[in-house]
Amino acid sequence: ALAKIAGIKLCENYYKQYSDNFISVMPNNLYGLNDNFHPDTSHVIPALIQKFHNAKLGSSKYVEIWGTGNPLREFLHVDDLAEAILFIINNVSVEEIYKKGISHINVGSGEELSIHELALMIKEVVGFEGKIKFDKSKPDGTPRKLLDSTFLNEKGWNPKIKLKKGIRELYNHYQKIDF
């Protein structure tokens, strides 16, 4: 979090001191091809894909997920982020964002779902037929993470890749990885 704030402030000050057109972009939870599937360091989508896939292969009766499943998250495919950055480069000036009183541009899908809903979606994509168990003794994390992407949406950019389609693509990619 501190590094993100430092980056935003650096861009602000390059603009103030040198009039450079540096704009900070803040994406939400990203996922996509070549994601990190390491069991200890992956983020939620690749971690759940791996859990459900391994449970399917091992004919497990259930997949255990930390927390209650209630926290809400917003996800964005990395290809949509790349498109958003190109859109910003071609359509937004730093003067415009500072006149609006914002220090950075949020890039999000605008859609949030619970970890439970996400787990059900991944379970379906993977084809796992067992149950989902939530370990409520483990932490949930932040209750909600939804960015306000109004500025970018009003400029005319919206993500194109729906979450289920992106997860299906990522799962197909995951199955081809040679671990």
Side-chain angles (χ1 to χ4, degrees), residues 72-100:
L72 300 171
R73 295 293 181 265
E74 175 185 29
F75 298 96
L76 184 71
H77 195 281
V78 293
D79 290 352
D80 278 333
L81 175 61
E83 291 292 330
I85 292 169
L86 290 173
F87 181 88
I88 291 165
I89 289 169
N90 292 316
N91 296 286
V92 179
S93 71
V94 70
E95 292 87 6
E96 182 179 10
I97 67 166
Y98 291 138
K99 281 181 187 172
K100 286 220 174 246

Side-chain angles (χ1 to χ4, degrees), residues 6 13 17 52 56 64 73 79 84 130 133 142 157 162 177:
N13 286 301
Q17 188 169 352
F52 281 106
K56 177 183 167 182
E64 185 174 277
R73 295 293 181 265
D79 290 352
K133 288 186 178 182
T142 305
W157 181 86
K162 294 294 181 193
I177 297 173

Side-chain angles (χ1 to χ4, degrees), residues 4 34-35 58 80 112 114 148:
K4 288 179 183 179
N34 299 312
D35 217 322
D80 278 333
E112 63 183 345
S114 69
D148 179 1

